[in-house]
Amino acid sequence: MNQILLGVSFPFVAALIVYAIRRGRTSVRILILVPVCMTISALWAIAPDIPRLLGFSDLYNRLASDPRCDIFFWHYSIDLMEINSPWYTAGFVLILLCLLTAAWRELYLREKGL
Amino acid sequence: MHSSFHFALGLALGTLTFLPAILRRLLFEQRMAFLMRKWLWVSYALGIFAIIPNILRRIGTPEPVCTGWQMNIFLFHPLINNLKSGGMLIGLAVIIICFIIQYSFLTAAIALSNKS
């Protein structure tokens, strides 16, 4: 979960900066682009775990012991010191809430005629 | 069951409850912002409501209180815990699905408000 959270964080922070520059306004295009980028980024972060989900245990075990998997957002290093915590899920939900809030705010402002 | 599963249950309940009203408003191109706000508030509040026993456990409430039959008011929390263990991945999947549903409707409403 922490790797997914790390993965979605990069596009989210970039989107946050763009949102601040645009003074709290966004467009449908950006609202679609941001979650797509977050999904791609999250998939990149958990790429070494995908073989395990698909049943390829040998490949998964090989990747799990290969330090070069750090190109997937430090996946190997994180696995070495990983601790399970519900705060990772809470952080992920918070990011989703931020996206929903930004989208809702845009809808509200447009309906107000701003 | 993992707390994600309970949160997802509350979130899904809130998401599905409002869905017919949201669909009706969207089809008739009526203003959506206030209903959308209520939708988001209720669904996430239900999610938090469902994990109150987990929160109580974390702050040190005795275990018999957290797992007592009275805790079933929090969307059958102990009952679900007795059925099965785990559930983190399912919970996460449901959270993401609910987000996609709510976000899609919000984006569609914005696109429609653009047109009008």
Side-chain angles (χ1 to χ4, degrees):
Chain A
M1 189 61 219
N2 51 355
Q3 284 146 347
I4 293 174
L5 184 61
L6 184 66
V8 300
S9 295
F10 297 119
F12 175 71
V13 168
L16 216 56
I17 292 167
V18 170
Y19 193 64
I21 290 169
R22 289 169 64 111
R23 293 184 189 172
R25 297 305 303 259
T26 183
S27 64
V28 174
R29 208 171 289 156
I30 293 176
L31 285 172
I32 293 170
L33 190 65
V34 170
V36 167
C37 289
M38 286 170 64
T39 304
I40 293 168
S41 188
L43 287 173
W44 178 261
I46 62 163
D49 288 334
I50 292 172
R52 182 171 59 169
L53 292 170
L54 299 175
F56 299 112
S57 314
D58 288 341
L59 177 60
Y60 167 72
N61 290 327
R62 265 207 320 269
L63 290 173
S65 55
D66 192 343
R68 288 173 297 180
C69 282
D70 269 350
I71 60 162
F72 299 104
F73 295 144
W74 308 282
H75 191 103
Y76 172 78
S77 300
I78 290 171
D79 271 350
L80 291 177
M81 54 177 168
E82 188 171 13
I83 48 164
N84 213 1
S85 171
W87 291 112
Y88 296 131
T89 310
F92 182 72
V93 169
L94 196 62
I95 286 175
L96 297 184
L97 266 173
C98 286
L99 288 179
L100 287 168
T101 304
W104 178 83
R105 187 171 177 274
E106 187 61 32
L107 175 66
Y108 173 71
L109 290 173
R110 287 190 191 208
E111 282 186 358
K112 248 177 108 170
L114 296 170
Chain B
M1 278 288 198
H2 198 274
S3 53
S4 309
F5 184 87
H6 293 287
F7 181 85
L9 186 66
L11 182 62
L13 190 66
T15 302
L16 293 173
T17 305
F18 273 77
L19 209 49
I22 296 284
L23 270 166
R24 251 193 321 270
R25 283 229 161 193
L26 198 66
L27 284 171
F28 292 111
E29 296 190 21
Q30 294 169 339
R31 285 172 174 246
M32 303 273 293
F34 289 111
L35 185 61
M36 286 281 189
R37 182 173 64 186
K38 206 186 288 185
W39 191 26
L40 294 176
W41 271 106
V42 168
S43 44
Y44 280 87
L46 272 173
I48 292 170
F49 181 75
I51 61 166
I52 283 177
N54 295 87
I55 295 168
L56 289 173
R57 187 179 289 114
R58 196 155 266 273
I59 63 171
T61 307
E63 192 64 23
V65 174
C66 298
T67 54
W69 61 268
Q70 68 277 4
M71 288 297 173
N72 278 310
I73 61 161
F74 298 108
L75 304 186
F76 306 105
H77 193 107
L79 183 68
I80 292 168
N81 279 343
N82 289 335
L83 288 173
K84 210 177 174 230
S85 59
M88 189 184 98
L89 280 179
I90 299 170
L92 190 60
V94 172
I95 289 169
I96 290 170
I97 289 167
C98 290
F99 166 77
I100 290 170
I101 292 171
Q102 291 175 331
Y103 197 76
S104 303
F105 275 100
L106 270 168
T107 316
I110 293 169
L112 278 171
S113 73
N114 263 353
K115 268 171 62 179
S116 55

